[in-house]
Amino acid sequence: MTAARTGLGDLEEAPGPGRRRERAADRHGTGVGLPAWMWFPAALGFLLIALPVFGLLWEADWAEMPSLLTSPAALSALRLSLLTAAVSTTLCLLFGGPLAVVLARGRINRFPGLMRAIRSIVLLPLVLPPVVGGLALLFLLGARGLVGQGLNTAFGIFIPFTTIAVILAQTFVAMPFLIVALEGALRTAGERYEATAATLGASPALAFRRVTVPLVLPGLASGLVLAFARCMGEFGATIAFAGSLEGTTRTLPLLVYLQGETDIAGAVALSLLLVVVSLIVIVVGRPRGTDGQR
């Protein structure tokens, strides 16, 4: 009987053709079929996202596209959008990264009520209308704001309607995307590897640098991609806090809005440019593991 059980165990674990096919099916996500009805709403969902983009392609004036995209206003807005989005994403990493680590690993987790309150505030920009966020920044940092009045009186610093205001508005709306992605990666990774490093004598700083960071790099990369894309598309908070001054605060979304009132062809061309930039950011910056590839 023991020998029989051993033989069955060997057969179950033997890496035969059937076992290899099962592993391949699991790896490619084809091991379990889907209900037939699910394809219909899935197709409608895809069309709901894709058809508006095809509408832009249909409406575009392709003959005038080069001149529309290389106009001084378009180039200035594109340059400003890329610059501010890069700076804002860096700020999201510098401040949002440590905040995500504290939320996922800090001892504050011992107080669930306090943790829920802090997390609710951190994630507020995700659900708050962007224009409300812009007004909140204006009332905080404006000439008569809680902080802005002191900055203006003591140091002559005026933030609203400057490029710094654009960066702050983008950072405000984009940082939660990085925090959500990184905190999720930290919780998924768990703390067992850090604990093992600690038993081997590693300091918290060394364990974080050599163990935690490599584990969460895919989640961090996803968060940075989402944050950068959100910064590139930011409109509401920017126009409320920074205004629309050409060369200073007029990013691509603001220029699209302005041209939509007077120059439809130009607005469509710039909209397609934003679509292309967003696709490049997603395709190039998204980690392979997030789309089911190994």
Side-chain angles (χ1 to χ4, degrees), residues 197-284:
T199 60
L200 296 175
S203 64
L206 179 62
F208 178 79
R209 186 175 70 253
R210 300 293 297 273
V211 178
T212 306
V213 172
L215 284 174
V216 301
L217 275 180
L220 177 61
S222 295
L224 289 173
V225 168
L226 290 173
F228 183 84
R230 183 65 185 87
C231 290
M232 284 291 296
E234 163 52 31
F235 173 80
T238 303
I239 199 170
F241 183 45
S244 180
L245 305 174
E246 185 174 358
T248 304
T249 65
R250 185 174 297 168
T251 57
L252 268 179
L254 271 66
L255 183 59
V256 170
Y257 175 76
L258 291 177
Q259 292 200 347
E261 298 179 346
T262 58
D263 183 8
I264 297 298
V268 171
L270 293 176
S271 298
L272 287 174
L273 177 60
L274 275 174
V275 170
V276 170
V277 171
S278 300
L279 286 175
I280 292 174
V281 169
I282 293 172
V283 172
V284 174

Side-chain angles (χ1 to χ4, degrees), residues 57-80:
L57 295 172
W58 180 267
E59 186 66 26
D61 186 351
W62 295 102
E64 296 294 328
M65 186 70 67
S67 61
L68 292 172
L69 294 179
T70 56
S71 65
L75 293 177
S76 175
L78 176 61
R79 182 167 52 250
L80 182 64

